[in-house]
Amino acid sequence: MEVTHAVHAFVKTLLLLLLWSQCEGRESELSHVTCGSLLKLLNTRHNVRLHSHDVKYGSGSGQQSVTGVENADDANSYWQIRGKPNRPCQRGAAIKCGQAIRITHMKTSRNLHTHSFISPLSNNQEVSAFGENGEGDDLDTWTVQCDGDHWERDEAVRFKHVGTDVFLSVTGEQYGHPIRGQREVHGMSSPNQHNWWRSMEGVFIQPSQVPLRHDEL
Amino acid sequence: MATKAMNLCNVCCLLFYVITAVLAGRDFYQILGVTKSASIRDIKKAYRKLALQLHPDRNQDDPKAPDKFADLGAAYEVLSDEEKRKQYDAYGEDGLKEGHHSSHNDIFSSFFGDFGFMFGGNRQQQDRNIPRGNDIILDLEVMLEEVYSGNFVEVVRNKPIAKEAPGKRKCNCRQEMRTTQLGPGRFQMTQEMVCDECPNVKLVNEERTLEVEIEQGVRDEMEYPFIGEGEPHIDGEPGDLRFRIKVLKHPVFERRGDDLYTNVTISLVEALIGFEMDIEHLDGHKVHIVRDKITKPGARMWKKGEGLPNFDNINIRGSLIITFDVDFPQTQLNEQQKDGIRSLLKQGSVQKVYNGLQGY
């Protein structure tokens, strides 16, 4: 008797689950970082946000500098997630773990970039913001390293550079004037506690239904 | 006698009708101006258009404006929710269960942003002395299909909001030079940080959903602002969030203004004897093309009304311009075929030599 009851209950919950999953209409990507989203990235070890501005490095490549800042209300800390060059990602689609993306600085439209130049404070690899109007070169691409299928908004991920294989990191060195207190952001060859980043404030785009057919009547 | 009875009957009927009309509740479909089978996108589009027209700030001489506006908000709240719409369709307004009623402010601001809505006047002119947070500009990539039919994009805005915190904080900090006297005729100048005292605030992250409309006929670089959804300013007002439209290139159609251009390759046989075909348009409908004369390479066909809707008046449409090019056969012809062609086409040798690059 008890066995049949248990089986009955099990079958009921299974059916309920099946029905409920069928009822999901358009997919919601509320918990994922999606293509086209604008966001701020926080380094979890040092509590600073990835940042750039119209200030060039005084050494190395002389390109636009990328730093880590403490305050949370600066629009210069916003970056947009975009697809690889010539391969736009679909707007609103969740970014998969292992996917190659470009991270474009909102205010200056330059891409997060690294190359074989030495960083000014720690002698790691210099990370800069490069390009014009969102177009740079092949060294603008990074892969998102995370566990699971997609980049979750509330999980820490790593960014590995496509080309030089370094990880986007902060180890705490601070600049002086004119960007006093900002931390150096550089590329390090090994994954460690300094290269975890998580998404914070931002504008996260949800997937839309493409209006192909007008036979919704 | 009979007329008196009829009058009473009429009055009764009228009273009955009025009572049922009142009890039946509001006609939400009529308020939004949509049909009963309207899609969620049609409903959002209707709300957004009417909300701008009916906002009380814009209709200050109409005493019924706040009621009309409240009706609009209630209509959108029910018809935009699948569950509530089903209940309303079956049982009318009274049949709606007492659920959570989002304030109309929430609904309105998810389409336009916070801080009410400044009609007409520029926001900057009014708040010159209050410091403002940074503006955020998001490039929104849009497909030509969306420009043709319109669409809505839902976004989740996670932003820091200044909340009161206990204690005081330092604000308006600045560097000042202090002069101290070390002895007779000896002075030292030092730089010192001087701050005022203000009530303490802390930044707390909050989330909300915003609806961005991609209007039909929207052009590249057009912006959709959401007031107050930008970066906060600890001593002032938040900036704005602006969505800047970027229309992507399409593999089939090229846009020029409201006109669409496309190319079709036909075979040499089709070019000579005619053909019939369909072109699938951006919303899936077919554009039928019939040709029974000879089609020269580079020939153009104009299809009026098959272009994009004009942004300012969506009843006006541009044209679809189709340019044909001819695919010549790949295999070479043998002597017999060459003779056949010569006799079929009956076109003499031309061999005209001229300067083709200067328009002669």
Side-chain angles (χ1 to χ4, degrees), chain B residues 7-293:
Chain B
N7 270 348
L8 193 64
C9 198
N10 281 347
V11 168
C12 275
C13 281
L14 194 66
L15 204 64
F16 182 72
Y17 174 73
V18 166
I19 289 173
T20 43
V22 166
L23 282 180
R26 298 169 280 190
D27 183 350
F28 288 152
Y29 290 97
Q30 195 203 38
I31 291 174
L32 279 170
V34 296
T35 62
K36 285 229 168 17
S37 54
S39 69
I40 182 75
R41 213 173 342 116
D42 293 334
I43 290 173
K44 284 183 186 177
K45 193 179 166 127
Y47 172 81
R48 193 169 172 272
K49 195 169 96 169
L50 286 169
L52 281 175
Q53 288 173 10
L54 296 178
H55 196 279
D57 285 354
R58 214 184 194 189
N59 298 289
Q60 305 206 349
D61 352 311
D62 183 357
K64 288 205 225 113
D67 285 334
K68 282 193 213 160
F69 193 62
D71 284 345
L72 182 68
Y76 177 78
E77 194 202 331
V78 168
L79 295 186
S80 63
D81 180 309
E82 224 176 276
E83 266 303 310
K84 292 189 188 158
R85 186 178 180 178
K86 260 191 237 155
Q87 284 173 11
Y88 175 79
D89 285 344
Y91 308 113
E93 193 180 348
D94 296 326
L96 292 171
K97 298 207 191 87
E98 278 303 315
H100 164 74
H101 292 296
S102 36
S103 80
H104 194 177
N105 256 343
D106 279 346
I107 298 175
F108 186 81
S109 58
S110 72
F111 282 83
F112 300 104
D114 273 330
F115 277 72
F117 196 78
M118 309 290 187
F119 286 101
N122 204 349
R123 195 162 173 254
Q124 274 90 0
Q125 289 168 3
Q126 290 166 336
D127 306 310
R128 230 183 304 229
N129 293 324
I130 303 175
R132 244 180 106 213
N134 295 144
D135 283 344
I136 299 175
I137 302 179
L138 195 156
D139 280 337
L140 194 66
E141 285 182 342
V142 156
M143 297 198 291
L144 217 52
E145 283 85 351
E146 297 178 295
V147 177
Y148 187 80
S149 311
N151 203 359
F152 268 89
V153 185
E154 229 179 68
V155 306
V156 172
R157 172 73 177 118
N158 179 307
K159 65 179 180 182
I161 299 197
K163 299 252 166 156
E164 281 177 17
K168 298 273 182 201
R169 68 181 165 102
K170 293 189 189 299
C171 60
N172 299 332
C173 290
R174 54 206 176 266
Q175 297 272 18
E176 278 185 6
M177 297 297 287
R178 282 278 150 90
T179 319
T180 43
Q181 190 167 30
L182 295 175
R186 284 171 66 217
F187 295 92
Q188 187 180 54
M189 301 263 291
T190 46
Q191 253 195 347
E192 218 175 270
M193 186 75 91
V194 165
C195 298
D196 292 339
E197 230 181 41
C198 293
N200 202 4
V201 285
K202 60 176 180 199
L203 291 176
V204 174
N205 281 8
E206 277 185 6
E207 242 175 55
R208 59 160 322 148
T209 307
L210 301 174
E211 301 272 354
V212 190
E213 181 174 11
I214 300 171
E215 291 172 289
Q216 284 174 287
V218 70
R219 294 175 211 127
D220 213 43
E221 305 290 320
M222 276 187 163
E223 287 187 2
Y224 286 90
F226 282 73
I227 313 283
E229 291 291 341
E231 283 303 84
H233 194 291
I234 263 191
D235 296 315
E237 276 181 357
D240 301 332
L241 169 61
R242 303 208 297 268
F243 291 89
R244 185 162 55 194
I245 302 289
K246 294 278 189 197
V247 184
L248 292 171
K249 285 278 176 203
H250 196 271
V252 172
F253 297 102
E254 174 78 8
R255 176 190 198 170
R256 291 221 188 127
D258 292 338
D259 292 331
L260 289 172
Y261 283 75
T262 190
N263 295 62
V264 176
T265 307
I266 52 176
S267 71
L268 182 57
V269 173
E270 287 172 319
L272 289 171
I273 69 175
F275 60 94
E276 199 174 334
M277 67 176 287
D278 281 331
I279 294 182
E280 189 172 317
H281 211 295
L282 292 166
D283 68 345
H285 85 270
K286 305 266 196 277
V287 179
H288 195 63
I289 298 175
V290 179
R291 208 44 209 156
D292 54 2
K293 301 205 182 80

Side-chain angles (χ1 to χ4, degrees), chain A residues 124-125 145 158-161 164-171 186-197:
Chain A
N124 282 301
Q125 188 167 294
Q145 306 236 315
R158 288 197 172 101
F159 297 102
K160 187 172 181 188
H161 186 241
T164 61
D165 290 339
V166 298
F167 292 89
L168 189 70
S169 319
V170 176
T171 43
H186 49 243
M188 287 176 81
S189 43
S190 55
N192 51 41
Q193 49 173 323
H194 299 289
N195 26 58
W196 291 112
W197 299 84

